[in-house]
Structure formats: structure tokens, C-alpha cells
Amino acid sequence: MTAETVIAFLETLRIPEGPKAGEPLVLADYQRRFVRGAMADRIMVACLSIGRGNAKTALASGIGLGAVMGVWDAQPRREIILAARNRDQAKIAFNFVLGFIDGLGEDERELFTIRRGSRLEVEYEANGGGLLRAIAADGRSILGGAPTLAILDERAAWEREKGDTLENAILSGLGKRDGRALIISTSAPDDANTFSRWLDEPPPGTYVQEHRPAFGLPADDLESLLVANPGAAEGIGASAEWLVAQARRAIARGGAALASFRNLNRNERVSTEDRSVLITVDEWLSAEVAPDDLPQRAGPCILGVDLGGSRSMSAAAFYWPETGRLECLGTFPAVPGLADRGAADGVGGRYVEMNDRGELSVMGENTVPPGPWIAELARRLEGEQLACVVGDRFRHAEFLEAMAKAALRVPFVWRGFGWKDGSEDIERFRRALFDGQVKAAPSLLLRSAFSDAITLVDPAGNHKLAKARSLGRIDAAAAAVLAVAEGQRRIAVPAKSGRAPVWA
């Protein structure tokens, strides 16, 4: 089998750098599994997603060396591509290849010609000849090529347009010579990234191996750290003790340090940009509690509503300011279906999962009918005291019509989503969250919405809510901000004390 030949070749190499430099290369179990999956019959593309420091680039570079030497592919004039976002990143993989060559016998080393000038190339003279070259993510540099093996290193970090152009050029060239592509990377920061799409929606002929822990766990949880870093248990990369220590350091620093650790070391899809996010993932997770630990539905309830337009989501948030309990529900129209809508939005089966969890419902055909939907929200609060409905002032007339059709006789509080009202609501929401006045059961709907929610900042430092990506769905986040902010305003109003009568 080809896979066993690849494994046998890799274990003839010597480790080129690090504490074990010079020792024979011994593949870990997860590396063997990837080689067997990538080299299986009818596989054209193999994807590996794993935490930083688990030797994915070294593994792929070793495979690239075997391919240029024709160890398992004897066709003449073999062409191997090492592609990365920029020349410096490509040079890392190229240097691994050179390190492996240095560990070969003298007679074997003489068969290689190495070029380190404007082009990074390794040419092999025996066994029909082969050429390995490192390139940056510029699609024009590969047009017309016919690679037998392509390695796309740190694919999640490539620029979208240039990266997709290069990837498409490489994949189209692979078909000429029955080639394969190895796409390796730590996790992308979001579901819309091309690398995430490879993992979530692999086309036929694709092997996927993803080492990503469950979402929502503490950053220093050892078991999940080892899921993302399987090499730690086998002496590859950082030790488990180092990972836990770095996780606790990141937790203490918070912000960008924690987001970066989750993305790079825990291999989670977490944006490392925190300057304009509404709230970070960890800030929201601090508000999630087990369903049995949720505060009671006590006192008046604030209903925040983001009324969706044509074919979009409508979302509602129920907030009890006296106890801090927050519940949220999203609703889509029936056409298109949740699975098709998830594929179009770049989130895979997330909408179907939300529906199974009871966080997302379906109503109407092409649009969510406001009247029946508001009536359904009121039914969910049967027996509770509804204080008011909060919504967008530009949909004022629609809200009033919908509330009339639902026979809902409570005040409607309109709020703008611009700089003035938006900045106040965002600040009140954040303050309530940080002060522990918001508690919610684990909600995939809210996690997804907050991960896509950013704020735009004007020169005066005012914030307004916006999407991090065009296909993002932040409706539930908007509804939560409206409900919590209104609840905080009502709490802040001092109670009126009655005055004793004065008799003349």
C-alpha cells in the first residue's frame, strides 16, 4: 500500500531540529492516521487541522521530500509545490525539507540541487527526476503547472482572494497527473474561511482529520487541550504542563492573548481580533450556567425583538432584570430549508443543530409572519408579566401591527441601531454582563451570534452593532442587547416613594 510505503520512508529520516535533532523520526499515532487517510485510494485532497506545534509542517515536508524522490511515484519529472501565505512561511516548510536532506547519506545528498536565491527549489536527479519549489499565495505563479503533490501550509491564514486563486490553480493542475493536495493548518477564526469549508463540507475524494475540542470549555482544561495537541502525549511539540501554564497565563491576561491561545493552541474557531468585537467568547461563556442553575423567571420580563426582513432570521430575547435570566429564540422561514441555509451561510449543519436543541424554529414560507410570530412569543410567556417589547424604531409600524394582531397590549419601546441609541445599549449590555447580571443556559444560537457581532466605532468613541462577515447572523445578539439594556434602564430608575398626606 502507498500509505505504508510513505510511513516506512518517513521513519528512515532524522529529526532535523529541536531537542531530539539527529534522532530517527518516529511517527505518532495521529500522524500515521493522517498519512493512511491522505494516501488512501481515490483521495485527491487531505485536510489536517491541529494545534500549533504538533509537527504538521514537518510531516508534510517529509512527504514532499519522498514525493520528489519518487519513493512511491515513479512517473518522470515529478513536480511538488510547497505553498504558503508568503515567502517567509513557505521557507519554513522548505527548510524542513533541507533538514531532512542533510540527514540522508552522502551518496543520496549528491543527487540534490538546492537553489536558495529568488526561487526556493530542490531538484532531484535520479528516478526520473523531480522538482520541489516553494511559492507564496499568488495564483499567477502556478498557472500552467502540473504538480504531482501540493502542500498548502497554514491555509487558514491565507488572504481570501489571493489564497482562493492559488488554491484553485493548484487543484486544477493536480488533475493533469493524478496528483494529491495536503491542506494543513491550525483552525480558521470563523466558519466562512475557505479552510473551514473544506473541513465542514468536504467534497467527494476528500479526507478530513480535525483535532478540535468541544466548544465552551475552559482554556486550561487539560483533556480538551490534548485533543487539540495530541503530540503532547507523544513527546512532540509542547508538553501538557507547558500548555496548561500558557492557558492560565492567557486567562489572566484575557482579551487578545486569550483569543489567540484558543485559536492557535486549542485549535478553536475564535477570532483573534478583539478591539471591535461586541464581547469575546470567554466573556459570554462566563454568563452561561447549567440549566438547573438558571435564575427563576421572577418579576417583569423585557422582550427584545429583532424583526427579520425577507428571508432572514427574526430573533427574540426574554430578559428578567430582577433575576438576570436571559432566554433567546431565533426563527427562520421554511424556504430554503435549514440545511441549505446553513450551507449558504457557511456554517454547515449549525442551524439544524440549533433546531434540534430548541433554540431555532421555523415559521412561514418565504418570510416569518410578524403577527403569528409575536403571538407565539407571547404564548411562551404565558403566566409571566410582560413589561414591554423593545425593537427597532424604523420598524415601528410593523411592530404595532404585529402586536395588534397578536392581541398583545403592552408598551412598545423603540430604539435606534445607530450611534446614539446603539452606543448606550451596548454599554449597558456589557456592564450588566460583566457585573454578573446576565445568566443564560448554554445556547448555540447566542454563541454563534456573538461570534459574528462586532461594533463600529466613530471618532467620538461611540459604538454601534455590525456583522463581522456578510453572511453572519447577529439577530439574536441584537435582540439580547435590546432586552438587557432596557432591563438595566428600568432597574436604574429609583423607586418612587409615596408622600404622606398633608391636611390643611
Side-chain angles (χ1 to χ4, degrees):
M1 293 176 59
T2 301
E4 300 306 319
T5 304
V6 175
I7 291 172
F9 168 76
L10 291 173
E11 295 194 331
T12 64
L13 302 177
R14 294 191 174 273
I15 299 173
E17 59 185 54
K20 298 182 178 180
E23 296 181 14
L25 180 65
V26 179
L27 296 183
D29 289 341
Y30 72 93
Q31 293 174 319
R32 291 171 177 268
R33 180 153 58 94
F34 177 70
V35 171
R36 291 189 176 108
M39 296 298 168
D41 293 339
R42 295 185 294 278
I43 292 297
M44 178 181 174
V45 177
C47 301
L48 174 63
S49 175
I50 196 169
R52 172 174 286 185
N54 283 271
K56 58 184 178 299
T57 301
L59 175 66
S61 300
I63 296 174
L65 175 61
V68 78
M69 294 174 66
V71 175
W72 54 85
D73 182 2
Q75 60 178 304
R77 301 178 62 84
R78 297 170 298 279
E79 182 180 353
I80 289 77
I81 299 294
L82 293 179
R85 172 174 177 151
N86 52 43
R87 179 184 171 90
D88 289 341
Q89 183 66 40
K91 195 173 181 179
I92 294 174
F94 185 76
N95 286 338
F96 271 118
V97 173
L98 300 188
F100 287 133
I101 291 174
D102 288 341
L104 300 176
E106 184 176 354
D107 293 342
E108 194 70 55
R109 290 200 303 270
E110 291 179 353
L111 300 175
F112 290 93
T113 301
I114 299 171
R115 305 182 183 95
R116 296 186 178 90
S118 59
R119 295 183 296 176
L120 300 175
E121 296 181 343
V122 170
E123 189 170 358
Y124 186 69
E125 300 176 3
N127 200 17
L131 176 68
L132 181 150
R133 56 187 177 127
I135 63 173
D138 180 354
R140 291 173 298 177
S141 63
I142 191 62
L143 292 177
T148 52
L149 176 70
I151 298 169
L152 284 63
D153 192 21
E154 293 297 349
R155 178 65 181 90
W158 292 15
E159 294 182 32
R160 182 180 296 274
E161 292 185 5
K162 289 184 177 181
D164 289 351
T165 299
L166 175 59
E167 178 186 285
N168 293 334
I170 288 175
L171 295 183
S172 63
L174 287 172
K176 301 176 184 179
R177 301 179 67 177
D178 195 26
R180 298 173 191 256
L182 307 181
I183 305 179
I184 60 175
S185 183
T186 52
S187 185
D190 57 65
D191 295 323
N193 187 281
T194 303
F195 183 63
S196 298
R197 302 292 292 270
W198 275 108
L199 301 177
D200 296 342
E201 306 162 23
T206 304
Y207 171 76
V208 172
Q209 184 172 320
E210 185 177 19
H211 297 265
R212 178 156 60 110
F215 187 79
L217 296 172
D220 60 349
D221 178 71
L222 178 58
E223 184 177 351
S224 57
L225 274 171
L226 294 178
V227 171
N229 300 273
E234 303 198 47
I236 296 175
S239 66
E241 293 77 12
W242 184 91
L243 290 169
V244 171
Q246 291 302 303
R248 290 172 180 167
R249 180 191 65 85
I251 291 171
R253 293 182 61 186
L258 182 55
S260 179
F261 182 84
R262 283 190 176 277
N263 181 236
L264 300 177
N265 296 97
R266 289 184 59 84
N267 202 39
E268 295 181 351
R269 292 184 191 175
V270 175
S271 174
T272 55
E273 173 61 65
D274 74 328
R275 289 178 297 174
S276 63
V277 296
L278 175 62
I279 54 173
T280 66
V281 172
D282 288 272
E283 287 167 349
W284 170 249
L285 291 178
S286 68
E288 289 190 351
V289 297
D292 293 340
D293 296 330
L294 267 178
Q296 293 183 345
R297 289 179 163 188
C301 175
I302 310 297
L303 175 56
V305 175
D306 186 2
L307 199 59
S310 174
R311 297 172 64 88
S312 63
M313 179 191 289
S314 292
F318 308 91
Y319 181 60
W320 285 264
E322 289 188 10
T323 63
R325 179 175 178 135
L326 178 68
E327 300 176 8
C328 200
L329 173 71
T331 304
F332 272 125
V335 179
L338 294 180
D340 293 336
R341 193 182 292 271
D345 287 354
V347 296
R350 186 184 297 176
Y351 296 152
V352 175
E353 185 178 353
M354 291 178 187
N355 181 254
D356 294 338
R357 293 163 61 107
E359 301 165 3
L360 185 64
S361 63
V362 175
M363 180 180 289
E365 283 293 320
N366 295 309
T367 62
V368 176
W373 184 64
I374 293 288
E376 173 61 25
L377 298 179
R379 279 192 290 272
R380 287 175 172 261
L381 285 173
E382 189 172 355
E384 300 294 329
Q385 178 188 352
L386 181 59
C388 66
V389 176
V390 192
D392 185 357
R393 66 174 178 174
F394 291 106
R395 311 290 292 275
H396 185 269
E398 291 180 66
F399 272 108
L400 295 182
E401 292 170 3
M403 291 169 64
K405 290 180 180 178
L408 194 60
R409 295 179 177 86
V410 296
F412 174 71
V413 179
W414 56 263
R415 301 292 294 174
F417 281 102
W419 305 112
K420 181 178 182 297
D421 290 351
S423 186
E424 178 193 336
D425 289 349
I426 287 170
E427 186 57 33
R428 287 186 183 273
F429 171 79
R430 285 172 169 168
R431 188 180 298 120
L433 180 70
F434 300 156
D435 289 344
Q437 297 175 357
V438 178
K439 297 297 179 184
S443 169
L444 184 59
L445 173 66
L446 283 171
R447 290 177 182 177
S448 179
F450 285 127
S451 69
D452 275 329
I454 62 171
T455 61
L456 303 179
V457 188
D458 72 0
N462 299 306
H463 294 250
K464 70 175 181 179
L465 199 59
K467 295 179 180 180
R469 60 189 183 96
S470 60
L471 296 177
R473 302 287 185 180
I474 64 170
D475 312 81
V481 168
L482 289 173
V484 173
E486 178 62 22
Q488 292 301 303
R489 272 190 295 271
R490 292 181 175 239
I491 290 177
V493 175
K496 294 182 180 180
S497 57
R499 189 176 64 179
V502 177
W503 299 97

